Amino acid sequence: MRVVIAMMKHETNTFSPVPTPLSRFGNGGPEWDGQALAAYSGTATPMGAFIDLAKAEGAEIVTPVAAEAWPSGPVQDSAYARLCDAIAEEVDKGCDLILLDLHGAMVTESLEDGEGELVARLRDLAPETPIAVALDLHGNLSDKIIDNADVVTGFKTYPHTDMYETGALAGEIAFRALKGGCRPTMAWGNRPMLPHIMRQGSADSPMRELIAAARQAEADGALAVSVFGGFPHADIHDAGIGVVAVTDGDADGARAICDAILDRAWEHRQGFVFRSEPAEDAIARAAKLADGPVLLLDHCDNCGSGGTQDVMAVLGEILRQGLEDVAAFAIHDPQAVDAMMEAGIGAEVTLDLGGKLDMPAIGRVGEPLSVTGRVKLLSSGEYTIRGPMYTGVTVGMGRTAVLDTGKAEIVVIERHHEPWDVGCLQSLGIEPAAKRFIMLKSRVHWRAGFWPVVRHVVECAGVGVTTSDYDKLKFRRVRRPIFPLDPDAG
Ligand SMILES: [Zn+2]
């Protein structure tokens, strides 16, 4: 048995000015062939689960590529073609099963639905071969993905701590189908809703109840039921909430499960609207909290959703208000890293920190902030995840420096990295539990590692292309009317 296993993941923020060439995938480029197999064997990812299942079946495993990039602007056409060609080439040689670890919100320079096009191409090459796909909870579903795949599953957690289980579920169904043990039948649907990312946490209502309904449907006999919050910053026709149900040969049953969950989502649509507090007020409120650590969440500039990670609005306000004992993760600024590397540990430097990229989609130019401090630490920026999300994966922040102003330890990095694991600070000698304030550029994934550490959470609405203020984003492609852009949609 020959099984093709591949990963191609990108959450595209069409408002982001950060470019997405091939080199943005992986740590300086995708992992190809044997390296892809080695890099993801034993990891808590869908690809890791696919590899385990195929090994257990004694299959010949072919891994043309494993490619994941930090969210950013549309993927360059040449990069997309290279990734898809590598997968298609192996499928074209003939295989018994295709297992794909995709995101579900990939937009390229020319295509709105990168994953849909890939799956359709593979279906053309291998009309009879089962295709199973594991997607991110922030996937935007389309007819093309569902019509051309046999099984689609999505994460049931946000932060995404069930990546392995999601891959295992898709893979197990596919292997069973291959042996004639079941006949996966899918239905999908959506409603005209663009839930705010800040309201999609799986511990929060109404997402919690929708996911509980999906689990209940599985307990009642459905093969797999997945709720997708969708990714609103990918301004494409199909963006928004969706549900996929997979049953064993029961098309009506699958449809009924989808509709019931979607009706419930629609009924609770107001619960998916995030209302933010200006950073200045939020930080002043945080300063009065007696016990720490207090998390100051800079959620409008999250590189895990396509933010430039160099907007200084929130950190600038923290410094201006004079908060003490702060750790800040992180400012993306390769030039500042260069300057600190050159100055060396212990040197006092004054940097024009951050603000390197303009954000034309939201009408802002980059605004660096002059910051003076001591170079406290220099690092290669590599660490291995020990927490519950991406466990076992070694990540690279690029060359990394810590700038200590006396009141704040500011981590400055060369490659984008969202703080979801405490290792991002601990690997630099900063113990988050011991700090009074922790500033993180994240939205919900910080909870994976930092939830047990922080005492208070203060959401600070700064500036950036991951803003939850939809009025700041000019939507052009998404279908209208859609809630809450059109409050009377439906
Ligand atoms: Zn996601």
Side-chain angles (χ1 to χ4, degrees), residues 11 103 136-138 160 445:
E11 183 181 76
H103 185 288
D136 191 283
L137 174 141
H138 299 110
H160 307 323
H445 276 144

Side-chain angles (χ1 to χ4, degrees), residues 312 315-328 331 340 346-351 353 369-377 401-412 430 435 437:
M312 298 302 292
L315 181 54
E317 187 60 25
I318 290 169
L319 298 176
R320 195 186 69 78
Q321 293 196 23
L323 273 57
E324 296 191 12
D325 197 13
V326 180
I331 304 300
M340 284 192 276
E348 185 171 300
V349 291
T350 297
L351 302 168
L353 192 58
L369 182 74
S370 178
V371 181
T372 299
R374 192 176 57 88
V375 180
K376 189 185 173 197
L377 182 135
V402 178
L403 179 66
D404 188 353
T405 69
K407 292 183 174 178
E409 292 178 295
I410 304 166
V411 179
V412 187
I430 300 171
K435 302 302 287 188
F437 298 99

Side-chain angles (χ1 to χ4, degrees), residues 361-445:
I362 59 167
R364 302 284 298 221
V365 294
E367 295 175 44
L369 182 74
S370 178
V371 181
T372 299
R374 192 176 57 88
V375 180
K376 189 185 173 197
L377 182 135
L378 300 169
S379 161
S380 66
E382 211 171 82
Y383 74 99
T384 300
I385 307 275
R386 300 286 173 225
M389 189 175 147
Y390 283 103
T391 317
V393 176
T394 296
V395 291
M397 308 185 276
R399 294 182 309 156
T400 297
V402 178
L403 179 66
D404 188 353
T405 69
K407 292 183 174 178
E409 292 178 295
I410 304 166
V411 179
V412 187
I413 55 180
E414 200 175 38
R415 294 178 60 82
H416 286 121
H417 189 74
E418 181 180 354
W420 71 77
D421 189 86
V422 289
C424 70
L425 288 174
Q426 286 175 338
S427 66
L428 304 173
I430 300 171
E431 180 48 58
K435 302 302 287 188
R436 172 103 194 275
F437 298 99
I438 307 168
M439 188 211 86
L440 298 179
K441 283 182 178 280
S442 176
R443 295 212 275 194
V444 174
H445 276 144

Side-chain angles (χ1 to χ4, degrees), residues 10-21 24 70-76 107-109 306:
H10 188 251
E11 183 181 76
T12 305
N13 182 332
T14 55
F15 303 100
S16 172
V18 180
T20 313
R24 189 167 171 81
W70 283 97
S72 45
V75 177
Q76 289 182 0
V107 183
T108 72
E109 290 170 318

Side-chain angles (χ1 to χ4, degrees), residues 275-294:
R275 292 176 176 83
S276 57
E277 178 185 25
E280 194 180 331
D281 300 350
I283 291 163
R285 187 163 60 81
K288 295 191 189 110
L289 293 168
D291 51 347
V294 178

